[in-house]
Amino acid sequence: MLVLVANLGSTSFKYRLFEMTEDGAIDDIQNARCLAKGAVERIGDAQSKCTVEIGDWSNELVIAVPDHGVAVQACLDQLTDPDHGAIQDASQVAAIGFKAVHGGRLSGVFVVDDQVLDAMAEMNAAAPAHNPPYIAAMKTLQARFPDLPLVAAFETDFHQTIPAARKEYAIPRQWADEFHIRKWGFHGASHRYIAYRSAEILGRQDARVISCHLGGSSSVTAIENRQSVQTTMGMTPQTGLPQNNRVGDFDPFALPLILERTGLSLDQALQELASKGGLLGLSNRSGDIRDVEQAASEGDAQSQLALDVYVEEIRRHLGGMLVALGGADAIVFTGGIGENDTLVRQRVCAGLDQLGIVVDSAANEGLRDRTNDMGEASFHAADSTTQLWVIPTNEEVIVARQTLHALKHS
């Protein structure tokens, strides 16, 4: 069966087309073939760029794309190109799966209907950058392709196995019950992939794994028996580790002082925390860690501080994950920073020899030359009791599997 996995932005549509067997389990991550990938940018502008890659063939169109429905149609037109297309007819696509963010009272994988859209809308205030564009796009696609099922795979789903003692806030019970305020956790598809793939690599379904998804948005998750047992993100994707331009953990009682001294409204202050915080706020230069590291190497004190804070926050939470698991069989780095930043990996794991975490610095430095065909490699020393790995994540294949599972059980 063919599944189109979509990653939406307010003005963008990125996708991958997967072919897989209908009866595959959710954790059957090996038996899925990516036939094509593509994107549409600047949806709503006078001209939008539509790109596709199918094997060695690539194509780019510049056309008017007023909404996400037209974007999907443009992608389907490219996928069915008579000479190079991956499929013969758009009707071959069984469903579109979405890596949706926050469903509040709905945490799982669902065929999109009015109930799902209503649950997402209830969480608009908690995920303002994600939920509204997804809802609008889903409604547009429902109208344009009424016979094509849409499936929402919520990022919170993987973290439903976290014990209550680790996901409840110390707030009035009414708030938690009526407004669904708790530590939901996100990056679920990525951490689920790492859970499944690390179990394959280690040859143990019961492995204790700490998954460090480090990128423009970062989180750390403790995994046992391929299930999430603790994670850093809380009620919203804004919390936990510092992000590229999001604040991460922050004392809400500092807000009244900020509002008083700056004259900002609450909405304006929250927007500042969500767009001018993180590495960008700390460095006062850039939210891209490559720029921050470059400036730090040239002696910029604020950039060095930003890098130090980022690393120390990862280490602080790493300690909590080790306690939750009672030790770790492996620590896995993934995401753009986790996979590519030698310095961050080295600093996060430094000085932990007594905990059984020992880096092979040469292996870490030369990791790019040692990866297998999936981009995976280890960098732990021979005497390290905890294995250290870089494993590129594959969120899309997880969403594709979840989509077929939801169709089968709907």
Side-chain angles (χ1 to χ4, degrees):
M1 295 185 72
L2 302 179
V3 175
L4 195 70
V5 176
N7 188 353
L8 296 183
S10 57
T11 61
S12 66
F13 177 86
K14 299 178 182 178
Y15 71 90
R16 295 194 181 199
L17 180 67
F18 286 93
E19 179 184 57
M20 60 189 69
T21 57
E22 182 178 0
D23 57 353
I26 289 181
D27 62 351
D28 187 11
I29 56 178
Q30 299 300 329
N31 295 316
R33 188 162 65 104
C34 182
L35 300 181
K37 62 181 179 179
V40 181
E41 302 173 6
R42 299 182 182 275
I43 295 172
D45 285 3
Q47 297 289 292
S48 303
K49 184 169 70 173
C50 309
T51 58
V52 65
E53 295 179 26
I54 303 173
D56 296 330
W57 180 73
S58 62
N59 179 250
E60 179 178 312
L61 295 175
V62 178
I63 58 175
V65 181
D67 56 49
H68 285 80
V70 175
V72 172
Q73 186 62 62
C75 295
L76 291 173
D77 290 343
Q78 289 178 307
L79 290 172
T80 56
D81 180 271
D83 297 319
H84 303 282
I87 56 177
Q88 293 181 335
D89 189 86
S91 63
Q92 292 176 258
V93 176
I96 300 180
F98 296 88
K99 188 166 67 72
V101 175
H102 211 329
R105 56 186 168 83
L106 295 184
S107 185
V109 186
F110 304 90
V111 176
V112 175
D113 56 16
D114 289 344
Q115 181 186 12
V116 172
L117 294 172
D118 288 345
M120 291 176 66
E122 291 171 8
M123 292 293 110
N124 280 351
H130 301 91
N131 277 23
Y134 266 74
I135 293 169
M138 288 173 175
K139 288 182 177 180
T140 299
L141 294 173
Q142 282 180 328
R144 189 175 184 89
F145 305 101
D147 297 325
L148 180 60
L150 309 179
V151 174
F154 287 108
E155 288 280 81
T156 56
D157 178 40
F158 183 58
H159 302 295
Q160 291 190 78
T161 50
I162 294 177
R166 295 178 185 155
K167 65 183 177 184
E168 294 291 339
Y169 289 109
I171 58 174
R173 188 70 250 168
Q174 180 184 4
W175 296 0
D177 292 341
E178 293 187 11
F179 311 135
H180 313 293
I181 297 176
R182 56 181 53 87
K183 300 171 187 175
W184 288 102
F186 300 90
H187 292 147
S190 177
H191 292 303
R192 188 188 296 272
Y193 178 85
I194 297 303
Y196 292 161
R197 181 59 187 145
S198 60
E200 291 178 340
I201 290 172
L202 298 173
R204 289 183 53 188
Q205 300 298 302
D206 64 344
R208 300 166 301 168
V209 176
I210 300 175
S211 172
C212 301
H213 178 109
L214 308 178
S217 177
S218 299
S219 67
V220 177
T221 292
I223 297 165
E224 189 169 20
N225 296 314
R226 302 192 307 170
Q227 294 183 332
S228 174
V229 297
Q230 185 157 298
T231 193
T232 54
M233 282 184 169
M235 173 65 187
T236 77
Q238 306 286 352
T239 52
L241 301 176
Q243 318 291 320
N244 59 352
N245 59 354
R246 297 184 227 158
V247 65
D249 284 341
F250 181 76
D251 188 338
F253 284 90
L255 277 170
L257 185 147
I258 293 170
L259 302 185
E260 176 185 295
R261 302 288 177 85
T262 63
L264 295 173
S265 68
L266 177 59
D267 285 345
Q268 289 171 328
L270 291 175
Q271 180 59 29
E272 295 268 299
L273 291 172
S275 62
K276 297 181 180 179
L279 293 173
L280 174 61
L282 281 163
S283 69
N284 201 30
R285 179 182 291 262
S286 174
D288 190 313
I289 200 164
R290 293 167 295 188
D291 298 335
V292 173
E293 288 181 0
Q294 179 63 35
S297 70
E298 295 169 355
D300 183 75
Q302 283 301 121
S303 294
Q304 185 62 58
L305 176 63
L307 182 59
D308 292 345
V309 170
Y310 182 64
V311 168
E312 285 305 313
E313 281 296 281
I314 297 170
R315 285 168 62 87
R316 177 169 73 89
H317 286 291
L318 183 68
M321 302 300 162
L322 286 168
V323 170
L325 292 170
D329 299 302
I331 300 173
V332 176
F333 291 82
T334 194
I337 296 173
E339 295 167 29
N340 300 304
D341 199 309
T342 303
L343 176 62
V344 168
R345 293 195 303 265
Q346 183 74 34
R347 289 194 57 187
V348 166
C349 298
L352 303 180
D353 300 37
Q354 291 188 354
L355 299 178
I357 300 168
V358 188
V359 179
D360 182 331
S361 297
N364 185 37
E365 288 282 350
L367 189 137
R368 286 180 178 273
D369 299 325
R370 301 172 43 254
T371 57
N372 60 20
D373 57 1
M374 295 178 67
E376 303 164 341
S378 64
F379 61 99
H380 49 272
D383 58 341
S384 181
T385 57
T386 298
Q387 295 188 29
L388 303 174
W389 281 85
V390 165
I391 301 178
T393 193
N394 191 336
E395 299 168 293
E396 292 83 5
V397 73
I398 292 294
V399 174
R401 278 288 175 215
Q402 289 176 310
T403 297
L404 281 188
H405 187 76
L407 287 182
K408 187 176 180 179
H409 294 88
S410 64

